[in-house]
Amino acid sequence: MASLAEVKAFRGEEREWEDRSWFPPGPQLAVCLSGDKNRLGDLTDAELCERMAAARRQASWAQAQELAAIAELAARRHAQDEHHDPDYRVLSARESLLEEVSVALAVTGNAAATLVHLAERLTHQLPGTQEALQAGRIDLAKARAISDATDHLPDHLCTRIEDTVLDGVEERTTGQLRGKIKRLVRRLAPAELAEQTRRTVKGRRLELWESGHGAAGLALIDIPADDAAAVHNKLTAVAHGLKQDGDARLIDQIRADLALQLLRGVPLPEAVRTPPAQAEPSTPAVPDTPGGDGDSVAEMVGHAARRRLEELRAHVEFHGRLADLPRLAARAVEELHERLAPLRDTACGHGKPGYRPPTALRRQIEARHATCVFPTCNRRSEHCDIDHTTPYGTRGTTCGCNLAPLCRRHHRTKQTQGANGAAGWRLFQPWPGVLIWITPAGTWHITLPSRQ
């Protein structure tokens, strides 16, 4: 197989942002981002994706430097407090620290307190998270999510949860990350979670703020999750009833108007209630699923399937350096799909008649994937379309090896593959529940069963 240098020499190409996913953040990457060869119009789609990811890694690195400086200053102020008797007439060194950070960064006192707390937690309780931020594996929002979700937990539990969630953290959104930590805390520290919930709910409040253009926001903050879900589900059921009666407003508008009427003392209308299955719960309980984070992938896809996935990864990683990545990546996945066909036939059997999947099969698909299978989507699968990965009527069957939940938005995204002659999204399911997305730029992402 030709080397990368030989391929580039043959093609007469040299791409500034080619294969930069390995480039760590720091001074060298800063030079690359600010160099002369950074004209965005000259970059391919894949190179633009590399550049935006590199800029995000660099921003994470810079934020890690900021937090490290705050933590060091905090340590010095703590030391000053220990060597001086408290005097109620002056600010303590700790209180003075918050003012220093506030002035240095031009942020409010509350924002300064949040930064100091995060900096100290990353330094003392969550060093792995600090290292991941420094390396650009996570951004500041994910670091905050980990810190907030493990606050008030014993150090040994913080370490255990941190080690677990940092595995594969690059592929998770902040919402997915919070959900994973919540399930871990519920399982490993139920008493601590109950106490943390009690303390949080004790600070419940109603907040009002201006949102601009003559509008405002009004929200109940830190109320019990079950109560919040019950109120939301009640309003949703009534909103759907009004919608079925011909109300032209959007569901969100109806819910907001109903909540405002209730708070002003106007009773709910006598709308037709829809069955609970048609409501949209805001915070549904997510059961712990065996293998929910890919721990039992070997059992799910089989040894042969995993081996072929590794072949695919190596194949795409080499060809991913070329300009025609979308075509080559799709061809590699199609080849994998064909090579796994005999195994799928044996394991699955196929043979569900008709286009619409039976209820039992739909429930099986929803149990396999708790959410939409788009890599960054958290839409619950029971509120998604059950999509034929390979279109029905061509080579696609109504079977577990060809069905997956897609929310309406990402169902439409998948339908745009190659529309109007443009490069589109490609979706493959080489093994039941294992989805491979290829973006228009040629990057690819794997969604495993029960991705949370």
Side-chain angles (χ1 to χ4, degrees):
M1 183 176 289
S3 69
L4 176 59
E6 291 171 335
V7 171
K8 289 162 71 172
F10 175 76
R11 297 172 64 94
E13 295 177 345
E14 183 173 357
R15 300 187 181 278
E16 172 70 11
W17 286 94
E18 190 172 64
D19 194 34
R20 284 291 176 89
S21 59
W22 59 269
F23 212 98
Q28 288 180 299
L29 185 55
V31 171
C32 291
L33 287 167
S34 60
D36 293 333
K37 292 186 177 181
N38 65 350
R39 294 183 300 273
L40 300 184
D42 296 337
L43 303 182
T44 66
D45 290 355
E47 289 177 305
L48 287 172
C49 290
E50 290 280 9
R51 184 180 173 87
M52 70 175 76
R56 174 59 65 95
R57 292 198 304 276
Q58 187 69 9
S60 297
W61 178 84
Q63 288 164 337
Q65 310 310 309
E66 175 186 318
L67 292 172
I70 292 174
E72 175 62 25
L73 188 61
R76 296 180 185 182
R77 296 299 175 263
H78 284 311
Q80 292 175 5
D81 268 344
E82 291 175 357
H83 292 87
H84 295 84
D85 293 331
D87 187 341
Y88 70 90
R89 294 170 298 178
V90 298
L91 288 178
S92 65
R94 168 72 178 183
E95 293 169 322
S96 178
L97 165 68
L98 300 184
E99 300 305 323
E100 288 181 89
V101 173
S102 175
V103 170
L105 302 181
V107 298
T108 66
N110 286 338
T114 299
L115 287 171
V116 170
H117 181 68
L118 176 61
E120 292 182 320
R121 292 217 69 227
L122 296 187
T123 300
H124 301 296
Q125 284 86 30
L126 299 168
T129 304
Q130 182 183 49
E131 182 179 349
L133 183 66
Q134 172 97 9
R137 294 179 56 210
I138 63 174
D139 57 19
L140 185 62
K142 291 181 182 178
R144 282 176 170 164
I146 296 173
S147 176
D148 292 346
T150 58
D151 212 354
H152 306 300
L153 291 180
D155 288 354
H156 71 280
L157 278 178
C158 285
T159 300
R160 184 174 177 183
I161 291 172
E162 180 186 50
D163 290 343
T164 301
V165 300
L166 287 179
D167 183 18
V169 70
E170 299 91 341
E171 301 298 324
R172 294 189 177 94
T173 64
T174 53
Q176 292 166 353
L177 188 60
R178 290 190 188 97
K180 181 178 176 66
I181 297 174
K182 182 179 179 181
R183 290 189 298 278
L184 284 170
V185 173
R186 186 190 303 131
R187 185 169 72 247
L188 299 176
E192 287 84 353
L193 178 61
E195 175 60 22
Q196 187 172 350
T197 300
R198 187 192 66 79
R199 285 196 297 265
T200 301
V201 171
K202 192 174 181 179
R204 61 194 179 276
R205 60 203 181 276
L206 179 69
E207 289 192 358
L208 171 67
W209 67 94
E210 291 186 7
S211 56
H213 305 291
L218 181 67
L220 293 167
I221 306 297
D222 290 337
I223 63 174
D226 290 343
D227 290 343
V231 171
H232 187 273
N233 293 347
K234 178 76 170 180
L235 293 174
T236 298
V238 177
H240 276 287
L242 291 173
K243 193 72 174 175
Q244 290 181 351
D245 282 348
D247 196 310
R249 292 172 294 173
L250 299 175
I251 289 293
D252 283 339
Q253 294 172 334
I254 299 175
R255 276 194 293 239
D257 293 344
L258 289 172
L260 188 59
Q261 290 173 15
L262 283 172
L263 290 172
R264 298 182 67 178
V266 180
L268 284 175
E270 291 298 326
V272 178
R273 268 55 169 181
T274 54
Q278 297 184 23
E280 298 177 347
S282 60
T283 54
V286 180
D288 292 324
T289 307
D293 296 296
D295 298 330
S296 59
V297 174
E299 291 76 14
M300 291 179 180
V301 303
H303 177 70
R306 289 199 68 199
R307 185 172 66 251
R308 284 164 175 78
L309 282 174
E310 290 304 318
E311 293 174 5
L312 168 70
R313 185 182 298 276
H315 184 76
V316 174
E317 282 179 352
F318 173 77
H319 288 295
R321 303 181 177 101
L322 305 179
D324 54 355
L325 171 63
R327 179 176 60 82
L328 291 169
R331 186 199 308 163
V333 179
E334 287 171 349
E335 179 184 343
L336 176 71
H337 191 274
E338 293 302 321
R339 292 176 64 180
L340 288 176
L343 288 173
R344 283 199 308 274
D345 293 341
T346 301
C348 198
H350 308 311
K352 303 298 187 295
Y355 173 80
R356 189 176 298 277
T359 300
L361 179 57
R362 180 183 178 99
R363 289 175 179 169
Q364 174 188 332
I365 301 302
E366 291 172 353
R368 190 173 69 192
H369 288 280
T371 63
C372 168
V373 296
F374 191 79
T376 57
C377 186
N378 284 327
R379 179 77 168 173
R380 297 288 297 174
S381 57
E382 57 263 32
H383 302 306
C384 292
D385 300 332
I386 299 300
D387 171 65
H388 291 77
T389 307
T390 300
Y392 180 79
T394 54
R395 302 176 61 190
T397 59
T398 302
C399 180
C401 67
N402 191 47
L403 296 174
L406 282 175
C407 70
R408 186 57 55 86
R409 176 184 178 85
H410 294 123
H411 193 169
R412 294 176 62 199
T413 299
K414 180 230 178 185
Q415 298 298 97
T416 64
Q417 50 183 323
N420 301 321
W425 291 80
R426 303 293 301 276
L427 178 61
F428 300 89
Q429 189 169 180
W431 192 258
V434 179
L435 284 299
I436 301 178
W437 290 86
I438 299 177
T439 74
T443 60
W444 61 296
H445 307 269
I446 293 180
T447 301
L448 295 173
S450 299
R451 168 188 53 77
Q452 300 293 348

